[in-house]
Amino acid sequence: MDDIAELLKSDEIRQRYATLPADYRAAFEWRSKWLMTAHQHQIVPSGDWWAIWLLQAGRGAGKTRTAAEQTGWWAWQQPKTRWLVSAPTSGDLRGTCFEGESGLINVIPSILVRDYNKTLHELTLTNGSLIKGIPASEPERFRGAQWHGAWLDELAAWDYLQEAWDQIMLSVRLGKQTRIICTTTPKPRDLLIELNGRDGEDVTITRASTHANLANLSPTFQKQILQYEGTKLGRQEIYAEIIDPEDGGIVKRDWFQLWPHDKPLPKFEYIIQSYDCATSDKTQNDPTACLVLGVFKPLDSPMSVMVVDVWNERLQYPDLRPKVISEYDVVYGTEEGKSLGGKKVDLILVEDKSAGISLIQDLQRAYLPVQAYNPGKADKTQRLSIVANIIQAKRVWIPESSNRKGYVRDWAEGFVSQICSFPECTHDDMVDAASQGLRYLRDAGWLDIDPIPHYDDAEYVEEPRQRRGNPYAQ
């Protein structure tokens, strides 16, 4: 408080200060102390052009303290306003944003607080302003309420990020100038990449490393965090860099073979449509994906596959069934002037769970060549790892773009990006479709790849089979 005392040396200022109500004096001392001690990256950006302040900083850089200070000040500065606070979970709200060492309760002077309901995550100030916490893990709870602004903490760690974000954007609508503070240690989530792309438009971004606040961190933490200097994790957690998700992917982009755009498509010997269905027919978030693989024999090379089509859509079950039946009628490899002859689908492969169960039954009734696929105990990462060596061995081809030499066609870019980013990708529907399609072809004898990684997926029973047989036939 020495700096405030320095300001009050003037008799005139001291006399005016003495006439202020106690709560106003407390607010003045609170704000003055913060502005005099905060680091540059902790000061709210100037200007009224921005609506979202993204504070993208490393661990321990002071993100929580910054947002608590600014959100609390806005609420006090504008009487009878409403402010939202959200964090990954209810425990994070209470333990970090409200009651943490740098949280709202410990930042805002107690004389300015009328009430705090820890059960409802509600903090009411004496000027009538409300600061309300809602966990991001329950996106539907953002419906109905409306706010003048919000503090969204650790955005990159939200499980239902896009859903929660959409609801919040629709609810922050009060007043002439809405303000949102987003504090996070970054990860390559789609929303964060989008916000970074909007820098200078309606988003202002402040970046800071752990080093900016290192002196205020415990020696033990300093020692622990600095062990990651020079690593990819350190770039993310210390320097707040958004790491390209493909850097750590199981599959690398250059493993795929590009089929020249001006070369006729090969003659396919076998066509498989591999489906990964959404969790249920009521799912709005997860897409259903279809990957079409054509088996062919390149000149002077072993049997290979080509990705001849891939798509994903958010489909409820009544729309999914006719879509699959329509896709079955497609003839692949008939691009005019670039084909040696088209081929119809030989097999529809569908994972035997959730909406896939109903789909399998309906397709069987329609007498389509559908086969259920059971991945056993192997998790998603193991499933991709099992077939990754097929791609690494240059046995998977993708048609080249006719407009951009050296790149895949536009319709395939989403698939390549997703599979090369896995497990950091937002959705993994196309990854699952690829994993089961490639494994089926390998186990059926179309693709001979050694060695095969071993994982504990004992439920996946592999019987002796003949080449090109159906390994899942009952």
Side-chain angles (χ1 to χ4, degrees):
M1 304 299 289
D2 294 340
D3 295 316
I4 295 175
E6 188 69 25
L7 289 174
L8 298 178
K9 282 184 177 180
S10 166
D11 290 340
E12 182 181 354
I13 294 178
R14 188 165 58 249
Q15 289 173 3
R16 290 184 180 180
Y17 182 74
T19 62
L20 290 174
D23 55 351
Y24 278 77
R25 290 201 302 271
F28 173 77
E29 294 173 1
W30 163 39
R31 190 60 174 175
S32 299
K33 182 178 180 181
W34 170 246
L35 294 177
M36 291 176 180
T37 58
H39 299 295
Q40 184 59 45
H41 71 270
Q42 295 178 304
I43 303 298
V44 63
S46 60
D48 59 3
W49 57 270
W50 58 269
I52 300 171
W53 177 20
L54 176 58
L55 179 51
Q56 200 165 269
R59 295 284 187 96
K63 300 184 295 295
T64 300
R65 177 67 182 273
T66 301
E69 290 275 0
Q70 192 58 47
T71 303
W73 179 249
W74 279 334
W76 171 255
Q77 193 181 36
Q78 305 173 54
K80 298 182 180 179
T81 50
R82 298 168 54 84
W83 300 85
L84 170 68
V85 179
S86 191
T89 67
S90 181
D92 294 323
L93 272 176
R94 179 174 174 180
T96 301
C97 299
F98 281 88
E99 300 179 19
E101 184 176 351
S102 299
L104 292 160
I105 290 297
N106 289 314
V107 162
I108 302 174
S110 59
I111 193 175
L112 306 183
V113 177
R114 177 186 298 166
D115 180 61
Y116 171 52
N117 187 322
K118 64 175 60 181
T119 302
L120 298 177
H121 304 307
E122 291 184 349
L123 179 63
T124 306
L125 303 186
T126 55
N127 69 349
S129 289
L130 171 69
I131 304 175
K132 165 75 174 178
I134 299 177
S137 55
E138 304 173 48
E140 291 300 311
R141 288 187 56 192
F142 294 114
R143 292 181 178 273
Q146 51 186 350
W147 317 95
H148 290 82
W151 164 23
L152 313 179
D153 190 47
E154 289 301 345
L155 208 60
W158 291 16
D159 287 334
Y160 305 100
L161 178 53
Q162 192 62 55
E163 294 86 342
W165 177 265
D166 290 341
Q167 294 300 328
I168 292 170
M169 293 302 102
L170 294 173
S171 64
V172 178
R173 57 179 184 259
L174 297 179
K176 295 181 179 180
Q177 175 70 59
T178 60
R179 297 291 204 193
I180 297 176
I181 305 177
C182 302
T183 51
T184 190
T185 301
K187 287 185 178 181
R189 304 290 299 272
D190 290 347
L191 177 61
L192 283 178
I193 294 172
E194 177 195 340
L195 290 177
N196 275 264
R198 287 161 56 184
D199 188 16
E201 298 176 9
D202 59 338
V203 178
T204 183
I205 300 179
T206 300
R207 298 177 176 86
S209 74
T210 303
H211 290 282
N213 194 45
L214 200 62
N216 293 323
L217 305 176
S218 72
T220 302
F221 180 78
Q222 292 183 34
K223 183 177 180 180
Q224 291 174 339
I225 193 73
L226 294 180
Q227 290 178 350
Y228 296 97
E229 282 280 9
T231 67
K232 186 174 71 174
L233 185 62
R235 288 168 54 198
Q236 174 177 284
E237 302 296 323
I238 299 175
Y239 294 97
E241 293 183 34
I242 295 183
I243 306 300
D244 185 343
E246 292 191 19
D247 285 354
I250 297 171
V251 172
K252 307 304 178 185
R253 185 175 285 261
D254 60 6
W255 290 357
F256 289 100
Q257 293 266 56
L258 282 179
W259 188 265
H261 71 89
D262 54 354
K263 182 179 180 180
L265 295 176
K267 182 177 180 180
F268 298 118
E269 296 188 31
Y270 193 81
I271 298 285
I272 179 174
Q273 289 177 335
S274 177
Y275 282 91
D276 177 73
C277 299
T279 303
S280 72
D281 61 350
K282 297 181 180 179
T283 297
Q284 298 294 328
N285 177 40
D286 297 328
T288 288
C290 173
L291 182 78
V292 184
L293 298 172
V295 181
F296 71 103
K297 176 70 169 63
L299 185 64
D300 299 327
S301 297
M303 294 297 291
S304 300
V305 296
M306 181 179 292
V307 177
V308 292
D309 193 18
V310 61
W311 55 264
N312 63 342
E313 293 183 26
R314 289 175 172 83
L315 296 171
Q316 293 192 0
Y317 190 73
D319 299 318
L320 176 60
R321 180 181 180 276
K323 172 77 171 176
V324 174
I325 293 176
S326 174
E327 290 291 315
Y328 171 69
D329 290 331
V330 175
V331 177
Y332 294 95
T334 58
E335 189 173 358
E336 187 176 355
K338 298 182 181 180
S339 174
L340 296 179
K343 191 168 191 333
K344 294 194 66 174
V345 176
D346 293 284
L347 181 69
I348 302 172
L349 189 65
V350 182
E351 187 172 357
D352 191 12
K353 71 172 186 179
S354 304
I357 298 175
S358 299
L359 179 61
I360 292 167
Q361 294 171 346
D362 280 352
L363 296 181
Q364 287 173 338
R365 295 188 190 102
Y367 300 102
L368 298 186
V370 60
Q371 181 60 53
Y373 176 85
N374 182 357
K377 292 182 179 179
D379 60 29
K380 292 174 180 289
T381 300
Q382 291 172 336
R383 294 179 214 172
L384 181 58
S385 298
I386 288 171
V387 299
N389 60 341
I390 298 175
I391 308 173
Q392 187 177 20
K394 304 290 188 178
R395 303 280 284 277
V396 179
W397 295 73
I398 301 179
E400 181 187 34
S401 170
S402 59
N403 300 320
R404 298 189 303 158
K405 186 174 178 58
Y407 291 85
V408 300
R409 294 193 185 179
D410 290 345
W411 55 260
E413 176 55 40
F415 161 69
V416 176
S417 177
Q418 186 180 107
I419 197 170
C420 293
S421 300
F422 183 84
E424 293 295 333
C425 50
T426 302
H427 296 291
D428 53 23
D429 46 284
M430 290 184 284
V431 175
D432 287 344
S435 297
Q436 69 185 29
L438 290 173
R439 181 159 188 185
Y440 177 92
L441 292 173
R442 189 208 73 186
D443 292 347
W446 287 102
L447 299 171
D448 298 322
I449 301 289
D450 291 310
I452 299 171
H454 174 73
Y455 293 94
D456 181 15
D457 56 343
E459 289 184 5
Y460 181 90
V461 180
E462 199 168 337
E463 300 292 342
R465 6 183 119 85
Q466 298 295 320
R467 179 179 173 83
R468 299 183 181 83
N470 184 348
Y472 304 98
Q474 296 180 355

